[in-house]
Amino acid sequence: GRELRELSQAELLDLLDVCNAHDEQSARLIESYIDRVFGEDWRDGESATQGRRAARSSAAPMSRDEAFEVLGLAPDSNAAKIREAHRKLQLKNHPDHGGSDYLAAKINQAKEVLLDGK
């Protein structure tokens, strides 16, 4: 019931380990938060290495339903709507504009999944 800003770096790394084991998307968001607050030096630690390894091994291919959800679109959306949603989300979430690598990758993956079949 605490806010992220109230947690120490050690507590955040513990939370990251739990998220890596149970919720990959939350783990990516926690990683981005830790990067912003503490810089990327924390990634040199053993806990972070184990967490990233666990997240990579649990990664699954994205389904079409998940892709539509990521882009915030209805399943009957056409290619133009998919491209437009992708563009808008990338403008907001790209790492070069303060977003996370994880979210940008998910947005790109969603576009690829949906346009591959169109």
Side-chain angles (χ1 to χ4, degrees):
R2 295 167 57 192
E3 293 187 16
L4 290 178
R5 66 184 167 164
E6 298 171 349
L7 300 177
S8 68
Q9 184 175 4
E11 290 171 316
L12 287 165
L13 291 174
D14 288 342
L15 177 60
L16 177 60
D17 287 341
V18 170
C19 289
N20 274 323
H22 302 287
D23 185 355
E24 182 184 350
Q25 186 173 13
S26 294
R28 300 288 73 80
L29 292 173
I30 297 297
E31 278 187 354
S32 293
Y33 178 80
I34 296 171
D35 282 344
R36 286 197 179 141
V37 174
F38 298 103
E40 293 192 17
D41 292 340
W42 69 272
R43 293 181 182 269
D44 296 333
E46 182 61 27
S47 177
T49 301
Q50 289 173 344
R52 286 193 305 275
R53 193 177 309 121
R56 280 195 300 271
S57 67
S58 67
M62 183 181 289
S63 69
R64 288 183 62 78
D65 289 338
E66 182 184 1
F68 281 117
E69 187 176 331
V70 166
L71 295 178
L73 295 172
D76 62 345
S77 297
N78 64 24
K81 286 184 180 182
I82 292 167
R83 286 186 186 95
E84 179 65 16
H86 171 266
R87 187 185 68 74
K88 285 181 180 180
L89 286 170
Q90 281 295 28
L91 286 173
K92 291 180 185 177
N93 296 291
H94 195 276
D96 291 346
H97 300 117
S100 79
D101 291 330
Y102 174 76
L103 291 176
K106 281 296 202 184
I107 293 165
N108 284 334
Q109 184 181 12
K111 177 185 169 195
E112 289 171 17
V113 165
L114 295 176
L115 293 181
D116 204 24
K118 291 202 180 252

